[in-house]
Amino acid sequence: MELLSLFFSAFISSTLAPGGSEIVLGYLVLGGSYDVMVLVLIATIGNTLGAITTWFLGLCAAKKFPLENLLPKNKQRAIDWMRSWGKWSLLFSWLPVVGDGFCFASGWLKYPLITFVLFVTVGKFCRYALIAWLLVEG
């Protein structure tokens, strides 16, 4: 049941809803009842699946509100920059507030799902692995 709680906490934390998956991960790591790598993987999978949900929400928004109709050409510089460099920002999709925005925007901009999943998973795994390592070593 605790592993399921970690999964759902990580999933919800990566959608547009707030969550505290780091706290749940920390509690379970310090409890010592589970292999730390299993905990990190469960949190990463849940958080990545939540990010994919947010990406799909962005994709759906793009169908209803095409980018070309929302912004005049002279205000699309930021969007153009994100198209060029945005996939690298997905390594930071775990950041509070802006991370969900990266996921939503990448769906809206129709970033390839495989690229999205790769960058998001790496970023989220590194974050959870660092938290777990700091707790174990600390």
Side-chain angles (χ1 to χ4, degrees), residues 2 4 32 35 44 56 62 67 75 91 101 106 110 117 124 132:
E2 291 175 326
L4 199 55
D35 181 81
T44 301
F56 274 113
L67 183 63
K75 295 198 176 185
L91 292 171
S106 60
K110 299 177 181 129
V117 170
K124 290 176 181 292

Side-chain angles (χ1 to χ4, degrees), residues 20-78:
S21 60
E22 298 85 359
I23 294 168
V24 177
L25 176 67
Y27 172 79
L28 294 175
V29 166
L30 293 174
S33 298
Y34 300 99
D35 181 81
V36 173
M37 187 51 82
V38 169
L39 296 173
V40 168
L41 289 175
I42 289 172
T44 301
I45 291 167
N47 214 237
T48 300
L49 289 173
I52 291 169
T53 302
T54 304
W55 180 89
F56 274 113
L57 291 173
L59 187 64
C60 291
K63 290 178 183 178
K64 184 156 174 88
F65 305 104
L67 183 63
E68 296 77 29
N69 297 341
L70 285 179
L71 297 172
K73 280 280 186 211
N74 65 344
K75 295 198 176 185
Q76 288 191 23
R77 281 187 220 140

Side-chain angles (χ1 to χ4, degrees), residues 77-89 109 111:
R77 281 187 220 140
I79 298 299
D80 292 338
W81 181 85
M82 195 164 174
R83 284 181 175 143
S84 298
W85 302 101
K87 68 182 179 185
W88 296 104
S89 64
L109 293 171
Y111 281 15

